[in-house]
Amino acid sequence: MIRKLCSGSGLGLGGRFGGVRLSRRFVFLILLSALVTVCFGAIFFLPDSVRIRRFFLLPSEPQRTDSAGSGLGMAVGAGSGAAAGSRYRQTETHVGPARRKQKEKFGKESVSPQIRREVTERQHSLRDSENGAEVLDASNIRYQPLPEAGTELADQDVRSHREKVKEMMKFAWDNYRQYAWGTNELKPLSKSGHASGLFGGLLGATIVDSLDTLYIMGLQEEFAEAREWVENNLDFNVNGEVSVFEVTIRFVGGLLSAYYLTGDELFKIKAIELGEKLLPAFNTPTGIPWALINLRSGVGRNWGWASGGSSILAEFGTLHLEFVHLSEVSGDPKFAEKVMKIRKVLNRLEKPHGLYPNYLSPVTGHWGQHHVSIGGLGDSFYEYLIKTWLMSDKTDEEAKTMYYEALQAIETNLVRKSASGLTYIAEWRGGILDHKMGHLACFSGGMLAMGADDAPADLSKHYMELAAEITITCHESYKRSATRLGPEAFRFDGGADAVATRMNDKYYILRPEVVETYMHMWRFTHDPRYREWGWEAVQALEQHCRVDAGFSGIRDVYNTLPHHDDVQQSFFLAETLKYLYVLFSEDELLSPEHWVFNTEAHPLPVIQKNTQEQVITHDQ
Ligand code: DMJ
């Protein structure tokens, strides 16, 4: 082009004057330096400062593409389209050195010394299942929830309770396997698969949700089958809308947990692949993600029923643990950055009476309807604030501050006592209290206990007492029903005291929150009543929810005549049975010092202090 411009001039300068060669060079140099300036300047307009840092600070190294190596090379595999594949490869080149660094780090530092010791001592113990089937290459195992299942409990009763829970898990699993294999959930009366609208075209929710429970319980043959299904059938390239929240807590959480427990790279690869697929949900004017995303097209939107097109607090506020761990395992900060952006938006907003309304527009960044709840629509947002603090090895001060401030506002505005003295957490609608508590809100007993230790001065004891009171209330909601199972919501007005008064609040769908709280309370207090209450729940489940081919929810907890809903929820295997199993296990099994359960009960390890700066960034 430059040549043409000069030599093609009608003046024929090049031929006539010796000085023309000089000016050609001059023009060339000017254009070249302009080009360099433009390219260099453009780098500073890139949005992601971390990537820029990497680009300049880390030496570029050729990428390994072998499947067994870095792992990410495989992520393009089954189901990824060509476009997605090339996008992936681009990212991979970009973060390669950091990921390798991360991999080394994982081998050396992130794991606490105690877990590492346990792993070293026992890493060969899982090679063979009870039936002699090879399950995993033990050399890959980096984390292990030991001591080994069923061996160390001195108390015979507790041991047999735990065995009972394991038997329930096997029964639930075997029936799913026989009648609904590969579908999302089992219909235990119809003996067929159940398709839930939450997962779009995604399949295998029960399989992915159950991986860690099977593993923890030592159901190794079943675990091996589940793994095989994940390897050969778990496909994310589906043309359907999924719930970003549900897929994150069940699928990403389940896969991450399986990876951390077993060290099997397959689960890591799958988790990262799915994490990538979810990223377009964050492409909104504020960075608050859409509730729904089409995994193939990347088009997102919100639920039609949510206040003026809002996103839901308990959904966009319950991604933090998983996305931080996606950055941890991939070495790519982009996942953590997405959830830090959510936090930034929330921090900038005015909160009515210090409370967080359940609806927020991802477009304007303004609150929708002022409905506040520690039950449905709000619940796990609060849970993730304190768990983020704990999972960060108590370094994420911002999460801690947000949690205790929110808790104070909740206590002032929502916590009340019933006429009979039961403590409950009401809902708040634009300043008016609705004296009802949902089954979902019962997780808060465990949450309060888990946050009590680090509470601001002189509040620790108080929060522990509040935790115990909430647990009593939730237990009463079970005790006051004919089936000894709790309703979906119970009220404290119009003469009601921890009972449901409306027909459509009377159902029980195998939810975990009450036994979840028993488990945490047991661990923090060792008060035997929590194990007793857990055992009551086991018996009630056996009596009213166990059917020929699995476990089913019931439509009315106040009626002992069976009226089943014919769904075996995947969270029954992921959460309810796991929490019960842990309740009847020794404290070392997934101890809170080293593990944090995501909201679907998938254990994720605490990220050790000395390794954090390398991956998690708080910029933007
Ligand atoms: C689970 O999927 C999770 O616990 C979620 O946080 C709330 N609902 C169900 C179980 O009830």
Side-chain angles (χ1 to χ4, degrees), residues 136 140-143 215 258-267:
L136 286 168
N140 269 339
I141 298 172
R142 295 197 197 111
Y143 297 82
Y215 185 82
Y259 168 64
Y260 281 118
L261 292 172
T262 64
D264 186 335
E265 297 271 314
L266 166 74
F267 300 120

Side-chain angles (χ1 to χ4, degrees), residues 173 176 183-184 202-214 223 226 229-230 234 236 247 249-258 267 270 274 570 574 578 600 602:
W173 175 262
Y176 166 78
T183 67
N184 282 321
L202 269 189
L203 290 172
T206 293
I207 298 176
V208 181
D209 236 2
S210 298
L211 284 165
D212 51 13
T213 313
L214 295 170
F223 176 82
W229 188 90
V230 169
L234 184 58
F236 305 130
V247 165
I249 66 169
R250 300 193 202 207
F251 284 79
V252 177
L255 291 165
L256 283 172
S257 195
F267 300 120
K270 289 284 184 185
L274 181 53
S570 79
K578 186 189 288 132
E600 189 76 1
H602 297 305

Side-chain angles (χ1 to χ4, degrees), residues 509-579:
I509 55 168
L510 306 173
R511 285 198 192 279
E513 292 76 18
V514 174
V515 296
E516 169 183 356
T517 275
Y518 294 162
M519 186 280 284
H520 288 298
M521 291 304 289
W522 160 256
R523 289 215 149 164
F524 287 110
T525 66
H526 281 180
D527 182 336
R529 71 180 161 170
Y530 299 117
R531 276 186 165 167
E532 284 159 25
W533 294 351
W535 185 240
E536 286 171 11
V538 167
Q539 290 170 304
L541 284 164
E542 281 287 282
Q543 197 179 339
H544 301 287
C545 300
R546 188 169 180 138
V547 294
D548 261 6
F551 288 87
S552 164
I554 54 175
R555 295 189 195 280
D556 183 359
V557 295
Y558 302 102
N559 189 343
T560 49
L561 291 176
H563 196 183
H564 295 109
D565 69 6
D566 198 15
V567 183
Q568 179 176 282
Q569 304 279 349
S570 79
F571 55 67
F572 180 65
L573 295 88
E575 297 190 73
T576 313
L577 294 176
K578 186 189 288 132
Y579 284 133

Side-chain angles (χ1 to χ4, degrees), residues 104-357:
E104 286 164 24
K105 181 191 86 174
F106 248 64
K108 287 180 194 148
E109 305 162 35
S110 246
V111 192
S112 79
Q114 189 190 325
I115 294 179
R116 286 190 61 75
R117 212 172 32 250
E118 288 167 352
V119 172
T120 323
E121 280 166 13
R122 297 167 186 264
Q123 64 185 1
H124 299 292
S125 67
L126 283 179
R127 198 178 279 278
D128 300 316
S129 76
E130 287 148 14
N131 303 317
E134 185 151 345
V135 180
L136 286 168
D137 175 359
S139 60
N140 269 339
I141 298 172
R142 295 197 197 111
Y143 297 82
Q144 206 163 306
L146 298 170
E148 220 170 289
T151 53
E152 316 213 349
L153 277 166
D155 186 321
Q156 261 304 332
D157 280 352
V158 179
R159 192 133 97 201
S160 72
H161 291 354
R162 185 167 70 174
E163 279 313 298
K164 177 67 209 168
V165 176
K166 181 172 172 179
E167 183 277 327
M168 291 163 79
M169 178 70 188
K170 185 158 166 49
F171 181 70
W173 175 262
D174 285 348
N175 280 291
Y176 166 78
R177 184 180 168 279
Q178 184 170 354
Y179 298 113
W181 187 244
T183 67
N184 282 321
E185 286 162 328
L186 165 70
K187 285 164 84 76
L189 296 164
S190 316
K191 301 187 178 172
S192 61
H194 172 64
S196 157
L198 300 171
F199 308 119
L202 269 189
L203 290 172
T206 293
I207 298 176
V208 181
D209 236 2
S210 298
L211 284 165
D212 51 13
T213 313
L214 295 170
Y215 185 82
I216 288 160
M217 292 184 178
L219 292 166
Q220 296 179 28
E221 209 182 325
E222 291 78 0
F223 176 82
E225 273 180 316
R227 186 210 179 273
E228 197 185 319
W229 188 90
V230 169
E231 182 168 32
N232 299 321
N233 303 89
L234 184 58
D235 179 11
F236 305 130
N237 191 29
V238 293
N239 187 14
E241 275 183 332
V242 303
S243 156
V244 174
F245 159 74
E246 295 289 354
V247 165
T248 299
I249 66 169
R250 300 193 202 207
F251 284 79
V252 177
L255 291 165
L256 283 172
S257 195
Y259 168 64
Y260 281 118
L261 292 172
T262 64
D264 186 335
E265 297 271 314
L266 166 74
F267 300 120
K268 178 174 92 173
I269 292 158
K270 289 284 184 185
I272 297 170
E273 190 186 347
L274 181 53
E276 294 273 351
K277 287 276 192 185
L278 293 172
L279 286 178
F282 294 84
N283 296 337
T284 65
T286 58
I288 297 292
W290 299 115
L292 299 160
I293 186 90
N294 182 306
L295 287 185
R296 187 174 293 166
S297 67
V299 174
R301 70 174 176 97
N302 273 342
W303 301 106
W305 51 263
S307 176
S310 290
S311 300
I312 308 290
L313 183 67
E315 297 197 329
F316 66 77
T318 311
L319 308 171
H320 205 101
L321 304 184
E322 295 82 359
F323 276 68
V324 164
H325 264 294
L326 281 174
S327 281
E328 184 72 7
V329 296
S330 66
D332 190 333
K334 71 183 169 200
F335 300 103
E337 282 164 7
K338 298 292 181 211
V339 286
M340 289 311 295
K341 182 77 197 294
I342 296 176
R343 181 190 287 184
K344 202 159 234 176
V345 173
L346 286 174
N347 268 329
R348 264 195 234 118
L349 281 166
E350 274 295 311
K351 281 130 212 130
H353 301 271
L355 296 165
Y356 288 82

Side-chain angles (χ1 to χ4, degrees), residues 252-538:
V252 177
L255 291 165
L256 283 172
S257 195
Y259 168 64
Y260 281 118
L261 292 172
T262 64
D264 186 335
E265 297 271 314
L266 166 74
F267 300 120
K268 178 174 92 173
I269 292 158
K270 289 284 184 185
I272 297 170
E273 190 186 347
L274 181 53
E276 294 273 351
K277 287 276 192 185
L278 293 172
L279 286 178
F282 294 84
N283 296 337
T284 65
T286 58
I288 297 292
W290 299 115
L292 299 160
I293 186 90
N294 182 306
L295 287 185
R296 187 174 293 166
S297 67
V299 174
R301 70 174 176 97
N302 273 342
W303 301 106
W305 51 263
S307 176
S310 290
S311 300
I312 308 290
L313 183 67
E315 297 197 329
F316 66 77
T318 311
L319 308 171
H320 205 101
L321 304 184
E322 295 82 359
F323 276 68
V324 164
H325 264 294
L326 281 174
S327 281
E328 184 72 7
V329 296
S330 66
D332 190 333
K334 71 183 169 200
F335 300 103
E337 282 164 7
K338 298 292 181 211
V339 286
M340 289 311 295
K341 182 77 197 294
I342 296 176
R343 181 190 287 184
K344 202 159 234 176
V345 173
L346 286 174
N347 268 329
R348 264 195 234 118
L349 281 166
E350 274 295 311
K351 281 130 212 130
H353 301 271
L355 296 165
Y356 288 82
N358 290 336
Y359 299 102
L360 180 63
S361 164
V363 177
T364 64
H366 296 142
W367 299 118
Q369 225 179 77
H370 281 194
H371 172 220
V372 178
S373 159
I374 198 147
L377 306 179
D379 50 3
S380 39
F381 161 67
Y382 306 98
E383 175 187 347
Y384 269 33
L385 291 179
I386 189 64
K387 286 184 173 175
T388 295
W389 160 249
L390 297 171
M391 196 181 84
S392 72
D393 209 3
K394 305 194 177 183
T395 59
D396 190 339
E397 294 286 340
E398 195 175 40
K400 179 187 182 191
T401 307
M402 286 170 81
Y403 172 72
Y404 290 109
E405 284 178 1
L407 191 54
Q408 204 171 18
I410 285 167
E411 197 173 359
T412 310
N413 295 287
L414 309 185
V415 175
R416 295 290 180 268
K417 256 194 199 325
S418 75
S420 76
L422 291 180
T423 303
Y424 63 96
I425 309 182
E427 299 194 3
W428 193 85
R429 295 174 195 278
I432 297 176
L433 280 189
D434 188 1
H435 297 271
K436 108 176 182 200
M437 193 164 163
H439 193 287
L440 288 166
C442 285
F443 84 95
S444 60
M447 178 184 77
L448 283 158
M450 157 180 348
D453 259 3
D454 300 321
D458 70 19
L459 281 174
S460 293
K461 188 162 168 276
H462 170 68
Y463 284 146
M464 212 52 219
E465 284 163 3
L466 189 56
E469 287 172 23
I470 296 290
T471 314
I472 290 175
T473 302
C474 291
H475 176 245
E476 284 301 315
S477 79
Y478 273 49
K479 206 171 140 193
R480 293 173 190 202
S481 80
T483 56
R484 300 288 184 267
L485 291 165
E488 179 68 4
F490 40 97
R491 306 198 63 89
F492 299 89
D493 53 7
D497 199 40
V499 290
T501 53
R502 301 172 186 173
M503 194 53 216
N504 56 6
D505 283 340
K506 293 184 178 172
Y507 63 88
Y508 171 70
I509 55 168
L510 306 173
R511 285 198 192 279
E513 292 76 18
V514 174
V515 296
E516 169 183 356
T517 275
Y518 294 162
M519 186 280 284
H520 288 298
M521 291 304 289
W522 160 256
R523 289 215 149 164
F524 287 110
T525 66
H526 281 180
D527 182 336
R529 71 180 161 170
Y530 299 117
R531 276 186 165 167
E532 284 159 25
W533 294 351
W535 185 240
E536 286 171 11
V538 167

